[in-house]
Amino acid sequence: MITVNKWEAFSDSFEQRNTYVVGQAIIDTVKSRLAGLQNLGVVLELGCGNGTYTRSLLHNATSILATDLSEKMVETTKQRFQGHANVHTDVANCTQLPYSDDQFDTVLMANLLHIIPCRHAALLEAKRVLKPGGRLIVMSMTQYSMGFFQQFGLIYRYIKMYGSKPAGAIKLTPKRTALS
């Protein structure tokens, strides 16, 4: 049985909450870097949340399929991009994707791998649905390389917004990857 993730309760305020937790400058930097990527082709976004990063891909993708395990998040994303014919949404489990092999040019996982317990399965599914030579983009905001007070502030803001970390969450670092 699939349990609905804890983020579902925050679908209407997810972007504002994340901005509070990590800061506007970091969110803007990530959006800018994603917007600068070229020739993304057909994109599968896993864990789209409320579509925060979907907008950054709009002009460099042929089409975007924004997915999330949460029906509420997918509905919020769908409403947010109603006027964009190249954005589609779907409720999907990133560890058991209902899509064909070799279907997507690009797969994006933004802030997903460090909060799910089944990282390896998600990566295997991403690889399966990527076309040969396709592009996997993984981005996770963690405490790596922050000073003590920066980490303390981030943890405080996170707990204030979301409560405790989800079961299975880890701190990704260059030495501790999603597969280790």
Side-chain angles (χ1 to χ4, degrees), residues 90-173:
D90 195 12
V91 175
N93 180 339
C94 66
T95 65
Q96 299 170 344
L97 296 171
Y99 313 118
S100 303
D101 294 357
D102 307 329
Q103 186 173 345
F104 298 94
D105 299 300
T106 303
V107 173
L108 170 66
M109 296 178 178
N111 281 328
L112 178 64
L113 288 181
H114 68 275
I115 62 166
I116 61 173
C118 45
R119 291 170 281 281
H120 189 254
L123 287 168
L124 287 174
E125 278 294 274
K127 180 182 177 188
R128 180 184 66 76
V129 300
L130 266 174
K131 291 179 181 176
R135 185 185 313 186
L136 174 63
I137 302 166
V138 176
M139 184 275 302
S140 284
M141 293 181 203
T142 67
Q143 304 155 14
Y144 178 74
S145 80
M146 288 183 163
F148 173 78
F149 291 108
Q150 289 174 312
Q151 284 187 41
F152 182 80
L154 180 74
I155 292 167
Y156 168 79
R157 292 186 302 273
Y158 180 92
I159 291 170
K160 183 177 176 183
M161 286 293 107
Y162 299 117
S164 62
K165 293 188 310 183
I170 64 168
K171 180 174 153 183
L172 293 176
T173 70

Side-chain angles (χ1 to χ4, degrees), residues 21-40:
V21 172
V22 300
Q24 188 67 54
I26 292 173
I27 297 289
D28 289 345
T29 298
V30 171
K31 287 180 178 181
S32 175
R33 294 209 43 203
L34 288 172
L37 298 172
Q38 299 295 311
N39 304 316
L40 298 174

Side-chain angles (χ1 to χ4, degrees), residues 3 17 42 44 70-71 73 83 85-86 93-94 98 106 110 113 115 117 119 127 132 150 169 174 177:
T3 330
R17 288 171 177 271
V42 178
L44 173 63
S70 164
E71 289 183 31
M73 288 291 194
N86 68 331
N93 180 339
C94 66
T106 303
L113 288 181
I115 62 166
R119 291 170 281 281
K127 180 182 177 188
Q150 289 174 312
T177 66

Side-chain angles (χ1 to χ4, degrees), residues 12-15 28 47-48 56 66 72 74-75 87 119 121 123 125 127-128 151 153 173 176:
D12 294 335
S13 59
F14 194 58
E15 188 164 356
D28 289 345
C48 69
S56 300
K72 283 186 174 183
V74 169
E75 184 57 35
V87 177
R119 291 170 281 281
L123 287 168
E125 278 294 274
K127 180 182 177 188
R128 180 184 66 76
Q151 284 187 41
T173 70
R176 183 175 189 190

